[in-house]
Amino acid sequence: MSSTAVWNILLSILLICKGYHAAECEANSRKDRELNININSTRNSTGDWVSSFTARKDTNSDPSDMNMDITWKFSECEEKKTVLVRGLLRESPSRKAERLLFHPNCGTNVAIVNNGRTIVKLNDDEKYHGFAMTNRPLKDNELFEVRLDRKTTKWDYGMAIGVTTHDPNTLVVPIYVDDLKNGTWFFRRTCFHKDGNLINENYMEPLNKQKVGDRLGIKRTEFGTLHVYINGVDKGPAASRVPAVVYGVYEVRNEVVAATIVDPSK
Ligand SMILES: *[C@@H]1O[C@H](CO)[C@@H](O)[C@H](O)[C@H]1NC(C)=O
Ligand SMILES: *[C@@H]1O[C@H](CO)[C@@H](O)[C@H](O)[C@H]1NC(C)=O
Ligand SMILES: *[C@@H]1O[C@H](CO)[C@@H](O)[C@H](O)[C@H]1NC(C)=O
């Protein structure tokens, strides 16, 4: 489903030093994607030849999706000295599609906004119906982290984060996360829960102290262990033998009004 269309442009420029001119070579170089190359060989003020080239290409990719390598090789054959400069530009626009977002199938009192990154209550005075999941399964060792944007003073202990084997595309969204009885692990207050049951009452200090801007995260390691993170600090293993395909779960409950998925590249 995720198109991993990574396309490469190979530009090879052979600067022939003897003749002091530059020519493109390598018959198999791909020019079908419009890369404009500018080559400039001039003598500088002390009389030495200096060759430079620039390559320009229109792109829809973000700078963080691009990756560039330049290599050069010097060789001598048939009494001709050559330097081969090779540039490799990789773009992977599919990375944007893989970004972790909230799935549209959420609780009835929340809305997904900000291109899928933010969840916000429709009615701040409603305690429940704030369930949400990620749009795709978490990868091994991938941190699903949510930042608290806004809260009221009406209740407390509203932050809950977890993982579930349920598929957001087919799940009948529950009133709250405790309703998921099969293949669901979550953390709230001080407690770790599995399938709606308490499995560790004192996993860590009470979450009530969370302030706006604080981050709550969960990670499933490649060894099937779940860890909770508070502001990037690992609070230790919370559960083991968690299946490989799990979605992130987050709940906007009680005093929590809005929260945003943290972009790991920022
Ligand atoms: C070519 O390079 C020289 C020296 O760096 C520079 O002065 C000149 O403007 C360049 N010409 C072009 C067309 O880029
Ligand atoms: C001209 O190019 C040579 C060789 O790259 C370099 O050593 C020299 O410093 C350059 N002179 C100027 C004025 O840039
Ligand atoms: C529990 O989840 C597993 C894996 O998703 C599924 O195979 C099983 O049928 C579910 N059981 C119940 C009672 O929902």
Side-chain angles (χ1 to χ4, degrees), residues 61-67 90-92 95-96 99 263 265-266:
S61 302
D62 290 340
S64 59
D65 293 337
M66 293 186 133
N67 164 312
R90 287 191 197 86
E91 295 180 71
S92 46
R95 248 193 56 181
K96 190 172 263 171
R99 212 164 268 171
D263 184 349
S265 69
K266 300 239 162 87

Side-chain angles (χ1 to χ4, degrees), residues 98-134:
E98 286 178 14
R99 212 164 268 171
L100 205 54
L101 303 171
F102 286 117
H103 193 279
N105 190 20
C106 60
T108 54
N109 189 40
V110 280
I112 309 300
V113 296
N114 186 21
N115 293 320
R117 292 179 51 217
T118 299
I119 182 169
V120 60
K121 266 187 185 174
L122 297 172
N123 173 8
D124 296 1
D125 295 330
E126 163 64 62
K127 250 178 144 173
Y128 304 132
H129 298 282
F131 180 88
M133 291 173 72
T134 55

Side-chain angles (χ1 to χ4, degrees), residues 21 33 37 40 49 57 62 95 134 141 149 151 160 165 179 184 205:
H21 70 273
R33 304 269 188 165
I37 301 171
N40 181 1
W49 279 101
K57 172 180 183 304
D62 290 340
R95 248 193 56 181
T134 55
N141 305 312
D149 291 339
K151 64 190 255 190
T165 56
D179 280 346
T184 304
E205 70 269 20

Side-chain angles (χ1 to χ4, degrees), residues 25-206:
C25 58
E26 297 225 341
N28 61 354
S29 74
R30 293 179 56 189
K31 289 185 246 168
D32 56 322
R33 304 269 188 165
E34 279 217 43
L35 183 80
N36 297 306
I37 301 171
N38 195 310
I39 302 155
N40 181 1
S41 283
T42 50
R43 281 190 197 274
N44 69 10
S45 56
T46 46
D48 296 290
W49 279 101
V50 177
S51 299
S52 67
F53 63 89
T54 55
R56 176 190 295 264
K57 172 180 183 304
D58 291 338
T59 180
N60 292 320
S61 302
D62 290 340
S64 59
D65 293 337
M66 293 186 133
N67 164 312
M68 178 85 177
D69 282 313
I70 301 271
T71 55
W72 66 279
K73 196 167 75 180
F74 190 81
S75 63
E76 224 178 320
C77 61
E78 293 170 12
E79 292 176 11
K80 202 164 72 173
K81 292 176 185 172
T82 58
V83 58
L84 179 69
V85 181
R86 200 186 278 266
L88 187 63
L89 177 65
R90 287 191 197 86
E91 295 180 71
S92 46
S94 60
R95 248 193 56 181
K96 190 172 263 171
E98 286 178 14
R99 212 164 268 171
L100 205 54
L101 303 171
F102 286 117
H103 193 279
N105 190 20
C106 60
T108 54
N109 189 40
V110 280
I112 309 300
V113 296
N114 186 21
N115 293 320
R117 292 179 51 217
T118 299
I119 182 169
V120 60
K121 266 187 185 174
L122 297 172
N123 173 8
D124 296 1
D125 295 330
E126 163 64 62
K127 250 178 144 173
Y128 304 132
H129 298 282
F131 180 88
M133 291 173 72
T134 55
N135 60 335
R136 60 160 174 82
L138 304 181
K139 295 174 188 160
D140 284 354
N141 305 312
E142 181 182 28
L143 180 63
F144 168 46
E145 193 177 39
V146 179
R147 184 191 66 226
L148 179 59
D149 291 339
R150 198 148 55 84
K151 64 190 255 190
T152 66
T153 51
K154 200 162 178 176
W155 301 287
D156 52 22
Y157 301 119
M159 302 275 280
I161 200 162
V163 296
T164 185
T165 56
H166 290 276
D167 184 337
N169 296 297
T170 54
L171 179 71
V172 177
V173 172
I175 295 173
Y176 31 66
V177 65
D178 314 52
D179 280 346
L180 290 185
K181 299 299 181 201
N182 184 16
T184 304
W185 291 256
F186 75 91
F187 171 74
R188 184 174 55 236
R189 198 180 163 120
T190 62
C191 317
F192 214 84
H193 303 250
K194 179 173 189 286
D195 300 342
N197 303 314
L198 206 55
I199 55 170
N200 186 351
E201 203 170 347
N202 293 302
Y203 172 67
M204 52 168 259
E205 70 269 20

